[in-house]
Structure formats: C-alpha cells, structure tokens
Amino acid sequence: MSFDTGYKEKALNAVGTRPVRPDGVDKVTGRARYGADYNMPGQLVARVLRSPHAHARILRIDTSQAEALKGVKAVVTAADLPDLTEGDASLFAILDNCMARTKALYDGHAVAAVAAIDAHVARKALKLIEVDYEVLPHVVDVDQAMASDAPVLDETIITKGVTPAPDAPSNVFAHSEFGHGDVAAGFAKADEIVERTFKTEQTHQGYIEPHACVASCNSDGSAEMWVCTQGPFVYRQVCADLLGLEVSKLKVTSSEIGGGFGGKTHVWAEPVALALSRKAGRPVKLVMSRDEVFRASGPTSATSIDVKIGATKDGTITAAEATLRYTSGPYPDTWAETGAMTAFACYDLENVKTVGIEVLVNRPKVAAYRAPSAPMAAFAVESAIDSLVHKIGIDAVDFRIKNAAREGTRSSYGPVYGPIGIGPTLEAAKAHPHMSAPLGENQGRGMACGFWFNFGGQTCTDLNISADGTVTLSVGTVDVGGSRASLSMIAAEELGIAYEDVKAGVADTASLGYNDMTDGSRGTFSSSMATISAARNAIAVMKQRAALMWDIPVEDIEWKDGQAHAVGASHDNLAPLSVKDIAAKAGNTGGPIAGHSELVADGAGVSFGTHICDVEVDPETGATRVIRYTVIQDAGKAVHPAYVEGQYQGGAAQGIGWALNEEYIYGDDGRLQNAGFLDYRIPVCSDLPMIDTQILEIPNPNHPYGVRGVGETSIVPPLAAVANAVSDAVGVRMTHVPISPPRILAALKERG
C-alpha cells in the first residue's frame, strides 16, 4: 500500500525523547555477539598469506608442502577463485583484491589462504607456501603516480574523461568535471584571489572490531555466512557472484558491529572463507589481525588538491575552482568524483568548476569512511576561504553567511536545493557563545562548514503484532548508529503504543526482502520511512479487525491515539479498542496481524553542518591540544536526540584525529610502517575536550517526520576547522594534514 511520504507537522510523543538503548545491556555485559563471537561445529581456522612487496609479479605459487601438513584441510589461491565476473570491472576489482592473480599490487595483498584445525597449524602452513615474485617498481604518492615516468600499475587503464583521449596507459583512471558559469570571467571580476595547494594523507576508519566471518558451504550447493558487515544483502550478492552460487542459496547474517564507519561496506576476505569452506567441506572461521586490517582493508584516499577562489571587497565570491587528485588504491573507483561534487556544495556560486582525478597507487583498495571524499575537499576549500577572508579583512562567519547556499540555489554539482540548513547553522554559529569567547596565548580559533548528500535506497521492513499487543519489527538495515532504538520509537509513534512494547531486530537475508547497504546516512531515514509505511498498513488491518469485532463498516472507524474509534452518533456506545484489545482477538478475526513495506526511499535530503574549534599550540614542540569544540548541524528531525548528539560528537572526534595525528606512513620500500594502534594513533578521551552540540531541525520535506541522515556530515568540517584554528594560533597557513608537530615546527621555521 502506498503512502504519502511528504512532511506534515504534528505533535509527537515518542519521537524526540531519549529512551534507553535496546542493545545497551547486552553490549556492556558481553552477551552481544560480534563477528568473531560466532562458532560452528567442526569449524576450521583460516589464515591468509600476504605479499611483502608493494608491487610484484607472481611467478609461481607452490602450496604442496602446506597441503601435506597434518591438520591442513584446504589451501586456496586465485586458481580456486576463477573469474566469473563477465567483464564487470568493479566486481573483478573485488575478486582480485580478495586474492591476487597475476600481480601483488600493495603490501599486504592476499596471495594464498589456508584452513586448518587450529591457528597454530594454519600459521605453520603459511610458512610452507612458496611464492616466487618479480619485484616491480612501485609508487605510493598521488602526485608521483601521475608523473610520466611513474611505474604503471595496470596496462589496461587508459584515462577516461579527457579530450583528446590518450593512447597510452597511465595511473590516471578518469577525469570528472562539475560546475556552471564562466570561471575565467568570474575571476576577472574579483578584487582578491587566493590560490593554494593542499595535501591530505591516507587514514583508516579505526574501528575497534576487526573483520571477521564464519562461512559454511554445504554439499547441496547452499551456503551461509555470519559476518560483521554494514550490508548483508550486498555481501550475499557479491559473494554469490564471485563463487558462482545461486543468490537464494546463500544466507548471510550480520553480527553486532564493533564499528564500521563505511569500512564494513566493502567485501574483503569473505569470498576467501567461502572458497576454503567449499574446498574443505567444513565451516571456516576467518578473523583479520589488526596488522591485516591496516594493510589489507580499505583506508581513505590520500589527496592533493588545488583551490582557487576569488571575491570582491564586499565579500561576494565571484568564482571558485578546484582540481582534486585522489588515490583509489590499485583499482579504478570514483573517490575524486565524489570529492569534486562536494567541494563547493555549501555555497551559492555563479561561476564554479571542479575537476576530480582518480589515481592508481600501490596502496590498499580505498574504502568509504563517513562522507567519503568530502572531508579532504572541505579541508582544501574551507582553508582557502579562511585565507581569503583574512586577505579581504572580513569576518569568517559573515563571509560564509553572505555566500551560503539556500533554497533554490543551483548546487555546484548540479541539482537545485530544496529547504536546507547551511544558513541556519552559520547563523547559530555566529550567535553561539563559543564564537565570542576569549582566547589565550598560543591559542587560535577556526571554523568550517561541511556537506553530505545523504541517500535512501531500497528498503524492506516487516512489523508483526503479537497476541499481547507487543510488536516485533524486522529491518534489513544494520544498526550502526542506534537505528533499532529510533525505529522502535517511530513504530511506537505510529501505532500509539509504548516504546518498550516494540522490539526491533536486524533480519538475515533469508528472512526479509532486499535492503541496500547501510551507508550514505540512510539507516534511520530509509527504514523509518518503511517502518511508517508498515505501521500504517498494520493499522489498516487493525481497523478491519475492529470493524469485524463491532460488526460495523470499516469506513466508520478511525485510528487515533493508538486506538480504533467508532465514528458517528450511532456508535456512541462502542468503547475504543486498543492494539492489545484487537491483537487478543486476532485468532477469531482473521489470524495474525502484520504490516509489511517495501519501497525505494527517495528524497533523503542533503545535510549541512558548521563547526567551531579552539586549539592551543606549543611553539616549542609543535604539540596541539584541542581545548574547545562545537558542532552545529541540521538533523531534519532528531528522532533520538542522544543518538544524534553521539553521531555529531563521534564524527568530530574522528575528524580531529585525522586533522592532527592519523596517517599511513610508508617506507621507501612501499611497505606500511605503522600498521597498529600503537603507531597509528587515534584520539583517546584524554586527547579530546567535551564536544558541544547544537541540533537544528529544518524538516526534510520528503519524509513524514522531516528526518535527514546525520551520520556523515559531522566528519566533514573538522579537518578544516582544526587547520584554521592551528593556522590562527601559529600565524602560518597549514596546508598538509595531519598537522603533526613536525609539520608545525617546519612551518614555524620557514616563517622565521
């Protein structure tokens, strides 16, 4: 049954409150089952042999000694994962990344795997596998990879999107361009122009739980996986395609997820576990070590970005352009394209142009990380804007307010905006006490804006009402940010029952229709829309049941305050029937009561935020301490405000780490030097202040409650906000993230 998805203002009871999270007790007591907590009878332990070279041709693999080792039940190489992709380049990239075929393309690339009776035997077996490599020249830097003399990773790559088309292979996969107007004419009108180049280093999502799965292939061609993933349905499709399985015969169950942030939207080792299980005839458990997570699962892109912005003396931007070079690892992708789309999305620009350049390097295959590609673009653009406002002599917030996008603005990447929140977040920042608080010696303040698209997608939800009137809600979007609580609140709101009477759970792929990956901040937006639809379908059923119980026409019944009411003077003697009343008689009125919904959740509504950051920099050591931080962001409607605040704070914390500490460090040999949390340092509590939040609610017109996704925008502004604050504190423009102590000291030395 279709329903009206348009926003309608109304009084809400459950939505907007802060109930206890339903998964909290299990997680703090250890009952929650994560990826590595699942075991099957007779399971084997898998280990993966990985390349020690950044770039090498695989000449020979001899697994005979490993196969002969007592306790080893299966050994697989690329030969056990034949190419069934039928020319699908993106699917082949996943296959080749799971198990190197002709070349190892980065330090940590899988070349073989074993399944044995225990971890000791599996590790011993890896040492018995002989691999002959021809070591090849490598390149890990984005700018160096574009040089004419750079070693070419893939001889089949001819750059797309340029005219005339090149006739020789290179590491540049594609150019993508966005914008409108006449940039040259716009710069001619400018009184002041800033032009700078910025760099960001590669970072990892830093989730605490490593990748883990248990795979079991059966003799009848069926198979199942238990896996930590943000998208069991997508994993099912990809793994079935790569192994030649029928999709309907592969069941995937998602575990609790110990952090993902986009990194668990990608398939890494699951096909290897399935191949080992198929060969061994027994279940196989594969858990990555922390070293493997860093070396062989997807980090962000490293980037090099040129930005040029011009403005008049009154602070009107006349033109803006950017060229954004993003690494994608050794396989083609669209990370630079996304960065080019987001770069100037916060602003109303008459003349704008962005060019994204996708570059292959000998690093791990890049994966999503909360608003993928947007933080790097925002760092460059918002830093350049900060330089421009200093040059003009205008307040940084006022400049952004003057140029902010608004409803009716044609975005820099094409579409025209509907109701949006960038202006209100800036006005709130201007009025916030943080903005006018005094600063001390060696302290600086910065601010920055950020944008993310948000996404809806295919969604399916089941809502079942039990005989006692309680409700079970089955969803297909993995809970990565509190969606089980939010969806239970929305079901309770629609049905007019207590939040405690709704139990939401994430279904496996055999129990529910297809759901897209939980990414793009779609979890609460899309599944709440499907939950509302399912609840209203269930209400329609309950009205029919009430009509039978009262023996009156269903047209004479309305649903109000969680009850069926008989309308009209002739029915004054009929007392309202609650959900519990109707459910108790379901066996006599037609059987179980349920609501089902499948839909494509369109109109997710773009998201904007503004951040303010204060730092203190020690000029002797270059050490930086964030002393105050404020996040202001539009949520559309905060279903569970505590979860929304947590999303804001979490994104800010990760962005602060990215801005100050985190980076992949490679040696001259192309090998990762800091594959662990001791040397790759993410922020801990003592590194961060209490992060203040302010939730704005500019309703999304395409959702019944006005909901917008909130999970990603909060990581977009921090790189620039921190960089602008540090630049203010030290008096030197910082252009390279992370802004580590050595880079600060080098900048101070250069300043003299």
Side-chain angles (χ1 to χ4, degrees):
M1 184 176 78
S2 63
F3 77 110
D4 182 5
T5 61
Y7 170 72
K8 291 181 178 62
E9 187 174 357
K10 63 177 182 178
L12 299 171
N13 297 311
V15 170
T17 62
R18 300 171 182 251
V20 173
R21 59 187 299 165
D23 55 333
V25 172
D26 284 352
K27 287 181 174 176
V28 300
T29 59
R31 286 201 302 262
R33 300 177 78 190
Y34 292 87
D37 292 330
Y38 188 73
N39 297 288
M40 295 184 72
Q43 74 182 17
L44 303 171
V45 176
R47 289 290 185 270
V48 179
L49 182 67
R50 300 185 180 277
S51 168
H53 306 293
H55 193 195
R57 185 170 285 107
I58 300 171
L59 303 177
R60 181 183 71 95
I61 301 180
D62 184 351
T63 62
S64 58
Q65 292 186 66
E67 291 170 320
L69 181 66
K70 184 179 180 181
V72 171
K73 302 301 180 181
V75 181
V76 298
T77 65
D80 298 284
L81 286 162
D83 182 6
L84 306 176
T85 62
E86 298 180 346
D88 185 325
S90 61
L91 196 59
F92 179 80
I94 298 171
L95 176 67
D96 191 71
N97 188 58
C98 286
M99 190 66 70
R101 312 186 82 71
T102 59
K103 290 201 300 183
L105 293 168
Y106 57 90
D107 166 41
H109 198 167
V111 296
V114 303
I117 57 173
D118 58 37
H120 172 74
V121 174
R123 285 192 294 267
K124 187 175 180 180
L126 291 186
K127 296 178 181 179
L128 297 175
I129 298 174
E130 298 178 1
V131 185
D132 292 339
Y133 296 99
E134 177 191 351
V135 179
L136 303 171
H138 66 273
V139 60
V140 297
D141 179 78
V142 61
D143 292 316
Q144 293 174 7
M146 295 178 64
S148 59
D149 59 349
V152 175
L153 276 63
D154 187 339
E155 296 289 343
T156 68
I157 297 296
I158 305 293
T159 307
K160 300 178 180 178
V162 294
T163 304
D167 55 11
S170 76
N171 294 321
V172 178
F173 167 61
H175 284 228
S176 52
E177 185 174 319
F178 301 90
H180 53 260
D182 186 333
V183 173
F187 282 121
K189 296 177 183 177
D191 295 315
E192 298 288 354
I193 294 174
V194 164
E195 190 169 5
R196 290 187 182 275
T197 296
F198 300 87
K199 293 201 76 165
T200 69
E201 296 299 331
Q202 193 163 55
T203 55
H204 198 274
Q205 299 87 350
Y207 34 78
I208 301 302
E209 180 195 21
H211 297 273
C213 76
V214 178
S216 179
C217 288
N218 304 314
S219 58
D220 62 358
S222 65
E224 58 181 305
M225 286 198 309
W226 166 281
V227 61
C228 51
T229 173
Q230 292 175 238
F233 293 89
V234 175
Y235 273 47
R236 177 183 66 172
Q237 186 66 58
V238 170
C239 291
D241 287 344
L242 294 183
L243 275 85
L245 301 172
E246 292 183 28
V247 172
S248 63
K249 290 189 174 182
L250 176 58
K251 174 185 172 182
V252 179
T253 303
S254 60
S255 68
E256 288 288 354
I257 186 167
F261 315 112
K264 290 173 183 171
T265 62
H266 301 253
V267 171
W268 303 114
E270 292 76 18
V272 175
L274 280 168
L276 285 166
S277 175
R278 181 165 62 183
K279 195 167 185 177
R282 288 169 61 175
V284 170
K285 184 172 185 175
L286 194 161
V287 181
M288 280 190 176
S289 67
R290 184 61 58 187
D291 177 90
E292 289 178 300
V293 169
F294 275 105
R295 293 172 61 213
S297 71
T300 68
S301 299
T303 73
S304 172
I305 303 173
D306 302 327
V307 177
K308 183 179 180 181
I309 307 177
T312 56
K313 291 179 180 178
D314 70 351
T316 302
I317 297 176
T318 60
E321 67 177 353
T323 301
L324 306 98
R325 299 169 290 274
Y326 280 58
T327 61
S328 64
Y331 305 102
D333 221 312
T334 58
W335 304 110
E337 180 179 3
T338 305
M341 293 172 74
T342 64
F344 294 107
C346 292
Y347 301 104
D348 184 0
L349 303 175
E350 184 178 350
N351 306 293
V352 59
K353 176 183 176 182
T354 58
V355 177
I357 303 175
E358 313 285 345
V359 185
L360 274 59
V361 292
N362 294 115
R363 293 177 180 236
K365 187 178 187 294
V366 166
Y369 181 14
R370 281 184 106 146
S373 300
M376 306 83 129
F379 162 62
V381 168
E382 294 290 311
S383 295
I385 286 177
D386 208 55
S387 295
L388 185 58
V389 298
H390 282 86
K391 200 170 185 180
I392 295 173
I394 189 171
D395 180 77
V397 182
D398 289 338
F399 180 89
R400 288 172 170 86
I401 291 173
K402 185 180 184 70
N403 293 284
R406 55 188 57 85
E407 185 173 0
T409 292
R410 183 183 179 191
S411 68
S412 58
Y413 62 96
V416 174
Y417 289 134
I420 57 175
I422 180 62
T425 66
L426 283 163
E427 295 287 355
K430 183 177 177 67
H432 199 284
H434 184 170
M435 193 59 79
S436 56
L439 290 168
E441 186 179 2
N442 297 322
Q443 295 179 355
R445 175 168 298 141
M447 57 86 58
C449 299
F451 158 89
W452 186 245
F453 306 97
N454 288 338
F455 169 61
Q458 301 178 77
T459 312
C460 182
T461 297
D462 278 339
L463 185 151
N464 291 278
I465 299 176
S466 302
D468 62 357
T470 59
V471 172
T472 300
L473 186 67
S474 297
V475 301
T477 45
V478 175
D479 186 350
V480 294
S483 61
R484 278 172 293 191
S486 298
L487 298 176
S488 296
M489 294 167 71
I490 284 173
E493 188 74 58
E494 283 292 317
L495 296 171
I497 61 178
Y499 162 79
E500 293 77 15
D501 288 338
V502 183
K503 175 69 172 179
V506 180
D508 62 61
T509 59
S511 304
L512 197 65
Y514 181 85
N515 280 259
D516 278 325
M517 185 75 69
T518 304
D519 61 2
S521 295
R522 68 173 295 270
T524 295
F525 169 78
S526 62
S527 280
S528 68
M529 192 175 288
T531 297
I532 293 167
S533 174
R536 292 179 183 178
N537 290 340
I539 288 170
V541 174
M542 287 191 287
K543 288 169 66 176
Q544 293 170 353
R545 302 301 178 86
L548 288 172
M549 292 168 69
W550 281 328
D551 194 20
I552 65 174
V554 71
E555 293 79 13
D556 291 354
I557 297 175
E558 69 172 6
W559 193 266
K560 183 180 178 182
D561 299 328
Q563 296 176 318
H565 293 260
V567 179
S570 61
H571 305 317
D572 283 349
N573 61 324
L574 298 175
L577 294 172
S578 67
V579 172
K580 188 173 182 178
D581 295 332
I582 298 168
K585 300 294 185 181
N588 298 323
T589 59
I593 299 172
H596 180 78
S597 177
E598 60 281 320
L599 50 78
V600 177
D602 292 325
V606 294
S607 175
F608 294 90
T610 297
H611 292 200
I612 312 166
C613 174
D614 292 355
V615 302
E616 183 174 281
V617 181
D618 184 340
E620 298 296 324
T621 65
T624 299
R625 183 169 64 94
V626 177
I627 55 177
R628 187 171 182 179
Y629 202 98
T630 300
V631 178
I632 305 168
Q633 186 175 319
D634 170 24
K637 177 61 185 178
V639 178
H640 193 304
Y643 274 123
V644 172
E645 290 165 353
Q647 291 292 320
Y648 290 2
Q649 293 163 335
Q654 289 176 314
I656 289 168
W658 193 341
L660 292 177
N661 299 318
E662 299 180 39
E663 65 177 312
Y664 270 37
I665 299 173
Y666 282 91
D668 292 339
D669 57 0
R671 301 198 67 185
L672 184 61
Q673 302 295 299
N674 58 332
F677 283 142
L678 287 177
D679 299 309
Y680 180 95
R681 192 171 181 279
I682 63 174
V684 296
C685 289
S686 58
D687 296 316
L688 298 168
M690 295 298 292
I691 297 173
D692 296 326
T693 61
Q694 184 174 347
I695 300 172
L696 302 187
E697 295 185 323
I698 294 88
N700 175 8
N702 303 307
H703 186 282
Y705 293 3
V707 168
R708 300 177 192 267
V710 301
E712 293 175 274
T713 303
S714 55
I715 202 174
V716 180
L719 277 66
V722 172
N724 289 339
V726 173
S727 299
D728 183 47
V730 302
V732 181
R733 172 55 50 188
M734 304 304 298
T735 61
H736 195 160
V737 163
I739 307 170
S740 56
R743 291 194 177 109
I744 291 175
L745 294 177
L748 290 172
K749 183 178 180 181
E750 184 177 343
R751 185 190 69 177

